[in-house]
Amino acid sequence: ETGVTQTPRHLVMGMTNKKSLKCEQHLGHNAMYWYKQSAKKPLELMFVYSLEERVENNSVPSRFSPECPNSSHLFLHLHTLQPEDSALYLCASSLDRGLYEQYFGPGTRLTVT
Amino acid sequence: LAKTTQPISMDSYEGQEVNITCSHNNIATNDYITWYQQFPSQGPRFIIQGYKTKVTNEVASLFIPADRKSSTLSLPRVSLSDTAVYYCLVGGNTGGFKTIFGAGTRLFVKA
């Protein structure tokens, strides 16, 4: 049990759909992250939030929209995705940005049809 | 931003000690070295972190030579359940820590 939960675990959506991924941490951490992991590719850091403020956006297309309403919750809103967006989306949290250990959730396996 | 280089894959047998080396020739003074483990369809899990010399915890040891241009993760007496991908990351607090995962090393432990 890592203390970071993600829902849903699996999601299939069409290119015209709108869906959201949810991440929740009960570890009292101040930093939260979204990563994308495509098949046979390294993890890609997408967004970083620190104390509910987005502090990093690594050139992610606007069809991915993050939201951090409080330090325990992180959302990734998805709209008009492409098939190449199919991947495992991982959420992580850490005590703060920097060298602190990141705790990852189990991920959401997303398939765009 | 220091780039890391690791072997793509390694094979081992149960009970053996496994050493995975990571090269980071451009490591900065403030950079630390961190290793994560990832099983299929799961998020990575922190293993160990160090700055210099040797660090040991209940699951692994991390050896860092004086020039810090490389590091070696040592897994004692591996078991089948240690089959996973192991990532080496290098970064520091100065200017914001960048979490850049490379391709990692796929370790296969055989019976």
Side-chain angles (χ1 to χ4, degrees):
Chain A
E1 176 59 53
T2 64
V4 180
T5 59
Q6 290 186 245
T7 55
R9 295 294 308 277
H10 300 272
L11 177 63
V12 179
M13 60 185 289
M15 290 189 285
T16 58
N17 291 159
K18 289 184 179 181
K19 297 287 184 183
S20 296
L21 309 184
K22 178 182 177 181
C23 175
E24 189 170 354
Q25 59 95 1
H26 301 283
L27 302 169
H29 289 169
N30 292 321
M32 296 188 77
Y33 312 77
W34 278 118
Y35 288 86
K36 174 185 177 183
Q37 187 170 35
S38 304
K40 301 187 186 302
K41 291 180 67 175
L43 277 79
E44 301 172 53
L45 179 62
M46 301 174 72
F47 301 103
V48 180
Y49 276 82
S50 177
L51 295 172
E52 303 155 38
E53 177 185 353
R54 189 190 312 177
V55 294
E56 196 167 325
N57 176 345
N58 288 314
S59 303
V60 179
S62 59
R63 58 185 183 270
F64 295 91
S65 176
E67 178 190 2
C68 188
N70 55 62
S71 59
S72 298
H73 295 86
L74 185 65
F75 294 89
L76 187 62
H77 304 299
L78 317 170
H79 63 96
T80 59
L81 296 191
Q82 304 298 312
E84 59 264 30
D85 296 322
S86 298
L88 180 68
Y89 288 84
L90 291 159
C91 172
S93 71
S94 62
L95 185 61
D96 206 338
R97 292 184 70 207
L99 293 168
Y100 301 100
E101 173 183 351
Q102 291 190 25
Y103 292 77
F104 284 80
T108 295
R109 175 68 63 186
L110 173 66
T111 302
V112 181
T113 61
Chain B
L1 184 63
K3 179 182 176 181
T4 61
T5 303
Q6 304 173 233
I8 294 175
S9 65
M10 295 180 67
D11 289 345
S12 181
Y13 288 92
E14 283 189 292
Q16 289 186 333
E17 178 185 77
V18 171
N19 296 309
I20 305 174
T21 297
C22 178
S23 296
H24 28 81
N25 292 319
N26 297 322
I27 190 169
T29 303
N30 295 326
D31 286 345
Y32 279 67
I33 300 146
T34 309
W35 286 80
Y36 281 82
Q37 174 194 57
Q38 185 180 24
F39 298 112
S41 297
Q42 293 186 27
R45 184 182 71 166
F46 174 91
I47 300 174
I48 198 166
Q49 184 180 83
Y51 183 80
K52 62 180 180 181
T53 62
K54 177 183 175 182
V55 180
T56 297
N57 62 22
E58 62 276 8
V59 297
S61 294
L62 178 60
F63 298 92
I64 305 168
D67 66 5
R68 304 201 325 121
K69 293 183 182 299
S70 67
S71 59
T72 299
L73 175 72
S74 181
L75 305 172
R77 297 179 298 281
V78 295
S79 64
L80 296 176
S81 62
D82 291 317
T83 294
V85 178
Y86 293 82
Y87 296 97
C88 164
L89 284 72
V90 174
N93 279 324
T94 302
F97 180 73
K98 295 276 187 181
T99 309
I100 306 296
F101 284 81
T105 298
R106 293 185 176 275
L107 172 66
F108 296 95
V109 180
K110 306 173 186 178

